[in-house]
Amino acid sequence: MTEVTFQILEGMERGRMFAELETPFTIGREEDNGVQLNDERVSRFHLKVQEDAGKVILTDLESTNGTRVNGVPTRMRVLQVGDLVSIGRCLLVFGTPKEIGQRYRASDSVPLKKLKDVIDGSHPDEDDDFVETSRTVDPGSSHPSDWSDMLDSAGQELAAATPPIPDTFRLAQRAQLADLIAFVHQQIFVFLQNGRERSVDDGSGQRLVDGTSWQQMIALEMRLAQMIREVSDPDRP
């Protein structure tokens, strides 16, 4: 029996994570589903997720509006971590954040852990090839590239950490923040929906988007950059 996880990116249940679901189970509108989605465009029992020969299989249960995986209409599909499943108005991603990170990163927090070891003055395991560097290299040494590479990698991981939501806002400010986040969320949702995988057999996880979607994402990034500049302006009232 295999346990799997789905995260809800869009729909009434967005932000929820259905973790450690035991296969087989179904996804649909009824309460008896392993994942219940409150959406009239989702069938009562929309699709089934099961394990066979070590693979996680998604099967559309002849739903009214169909199922898409990574933008492609699907009747039956072997799921891979990070796959986007679209049913009705809902968008789900298959896998936990850690599983998805492990698939798309060469290593899992290794640079950050090693940097922490150096800062704390602790020593990694003796068989770690980082031992010599951690004991001999310091910021003022003749080997700055080791520290630079390490700091770059660790900095990228730290920068990817989600900042906490402010808890000192008044009601009106919280409502404004919710509107802003919802706007950004919707723009990204549209971008994800428009992406297409290269082919079913392509294991690279690469996606293709059209020029219009790409330009919309650039415009969103520019607007966010402008907002950051406006909010962080010390002379702004």
Side-chain angles (χ1 to χ4, degrees):
M1 183 179 298
T2 300
E3 294 182 347
V4 301
T5 296
F6 278 94
Q7 302 175 67
I8 313 300
L9 301 183
E10 181 57 35
M12 293 295 293
E13 290 76 22
R14 69 184 179 190
R16 289 192 60 186
M17 180 185 298
F18 292 84
E20 299 180 353
L21 296 165
E22 295 184 352
T23 56
F25 63 90
T26 56
I27 298 177
R29 205 172 63 247
E30 291 289 323
E31 292 183 1
D32 293 337
N33 289 282
V35 176
Q36 182 185 14
L37 300 174
N38 184 16
D39 182 352
E40 70 274 10
R41 296 188 182 182
V42 174
S43 296
R44 294 173 60 247
F45 295 93
H46 198 103
L47 60 85
K48 182 177 183 179
V49 178
Q50 58 191 323
E51 183 270 339
D52 185 66
K55 305 292 186 181
V56 178
I57 313 297
L58 177 150
T59 305
D60 182 88
L61 299 176
E62 299 183 356
S63 63
T64 302
N65 294 307
T67 300
R68 290 175 176 266
V69 177
N70 300 327
V72 179
T74 301
R75 296 298 299 272
M76 181 177 288
R77 175 70 177 265
V78 175
L79 289 177
Q80 298 187 62
V81 168
D83 279 348
L84 295 174
V85 179
S86 178
I87 59 178
R89 298 186 182 91
C90 303
L91 183 66
L92 301 78
V93 60
F94 175 64
T96 67
K98 182 177 180 179
E99 290 171 338
I100 296 171
Q102 288 175 335
R103 179 183 178 188
Y104 289 102
R105 292 199 303 267
S107 62
D108 185 19
S109 299
V110 172
L112 187 59
K113 178 181 182 300
K114 290 181 175 179
L115 177 62
K116 182 177 184 298
D117 287 335
V118 175
I119 294 174
D120 292 345
S122 58
H123 301 294
D125 295 336
E126 291 302 320
D127 59 350
D128 195 325
D129 59 5
F130 183 75
V131 170
E132 189 61 28
T133 301
S134 67
R135 292 176 178 173
T136 60
V137 177
D138 59 67
S141 73
S142 59
H143 305 285
S145 61
D146 293 328
W147 267 89
S148 177
D149 293 343
M150 189 165 54
L151 288 170
D152 286 345
S153 299
Q156 291 172 10
E157 293 188 21
L158 288 171
T162 304
I165 297 177
D167 57 3
T168 58
F169 283 174
R170 299 191 302 271
L171 179 61
Q173 292 173 318
R174 292 176 65 88
Q176 288 179 307
L177 178 61
D179 288 343
L180 177 58
I181 294 175
F183 166 74
V184 175
H185 173 84
Q186 181 62 25
Q187 296 297 309
I188 295 175
F189 169 67
V190 171
F191 181 79
L192 292 176
Q193 286 282 65
N194 289 337
R196 299 290 184 271
E197 63 183 356
R198 290 180 179 273
S199 69
V200 173
D201 298 328
D202 181 15
S204 68
Q206 294 183 354
R207 303 289 186 268
L208 303 175
V209 294
D210 57 43
T212 300
S213 298
W214 184 251
Q215 289 298 322
Q216 290 173 343
M217 188 55 57
I218 292 175
L220 174 62
E221 177 68 8
M222 184 60 190
R223 184 65 188 117
L224 290 174
Q226 293 170 341
M227 288 180 181
I228 293 171
R229 185 180 181 87
E230 293 171 8
V231 171
S232 59
D233 184 356
D235 296 327
R236 183 180 177 84

